[in-house]
Amino acid sequence: KQEVTQIPAALSVPEGENLVLNCSFTDSAIYNLQWFRQDPGKGLTSLLLIQSSQREQTSGRLNASLDKSSGRSTLYIAASQPGDSATYLCAVSTDKLIFGTGTRLQVFP
Amino acid sequence: NAGVTQTPKFQVLKTGQSMTLQCAQDMNHEYMSWYRQDPGMGLRLIHYSVGAGITDQGEVPNGYNVSRSTTEDFPLRLLSAAPSQTSVYFCASSYSPGTGGTEAFFGQGTRLTVV
């Protein structure tokens, strides 16, 4: 059974810091891995999608890496801003999409 | 292009009542799924469908039914609501994960309270 874990569960940082969110999964037979953002009371917004054949994807200040053999992905956020405050979820795709429990990020001015 | 549309956004049910949560997508996606989100539990898969006429159970299917008669719609039925089904429900769609995977799109959620 695929299990997805995210560490840390919560993170509070001052504005401007570079930070790393971690995602690990137990079964490396995945098609892709996605990172999502969820604002309080809202739905999920896709941030980055990494195919299983790729090592990383970048979008603006976000960079996500994937090491399928070790079952790990990281989301790197550069120069964090208060507007980055949200819950970040990773999900791995096999025949279905399985989510981690998320990292709740707070960036304070 | 509306994406994934869920209705209703909020619902209060009495224990034992039944209801249907609606989900529709206009992106011609084969894959649709339902999740529930509870504090500290993340998103847990209830049921999913890889195409019209095909459905399968996820992690927490008990108390829920689904059907997929068209590509666009994937309703979730609560047969006899229980307080344990109080949660936020999300519908998602994408092209089939088996094709190499594409971005998943989510509806805005339905907040259900069972009293």
Side-chain angles (χ1 to χ4, degrees), chain A residues 60-87:
Chain A
R61 294 182 293 108
L62 304 179
N63 175 276
S65 67
L66 175 64
D67 184 343
K68 212 173 69 161
S69 61
S70 67
R72 292 180 182 177
S73 176
T74 61
L75 178 67
Y76 176 82
I77 303 177
S80 58
Q81 302 171 359
D84 295 329
S85 299
T87 297

Side-chain angles (χ1 to χ4, degrees), chain A residues 10-43:
Chain A
L11 187 61
S12 183
V13 300
E15 182 177 7
E17 275 204 7
N18 301 324
L19 49 96
V20 174
L21 308 182
N22 297 292
C23 173
S24 61
F25 47 96
T26 55
D27 186 349
S28 62
I30 64 171
Y31 291 119
N32 63 53
L33 183 144
Q34 265 186 270
W35 283 93
F36 293 87
R37 169 184 172 138
Q38 186 178 29
D39 293 293
K42 303 293 185 181

Side-chain angles (χ1 to χ4, degrees), chain B residues 4-26:
Chain B
V4 180
T5 303
Q6 284 185 240
T7 56
K9 292 185 179 179
F10 301 94
Q11 183 70 50
V12 178
L13 288 179
K14 294 182 179 178
T15 298
Q17 286 185 318
S18 63
M19 78 160 295
T20 299
L21 279 62
Q22 302 291 344
C23 177
Q25 53 91 10
D26 60 0

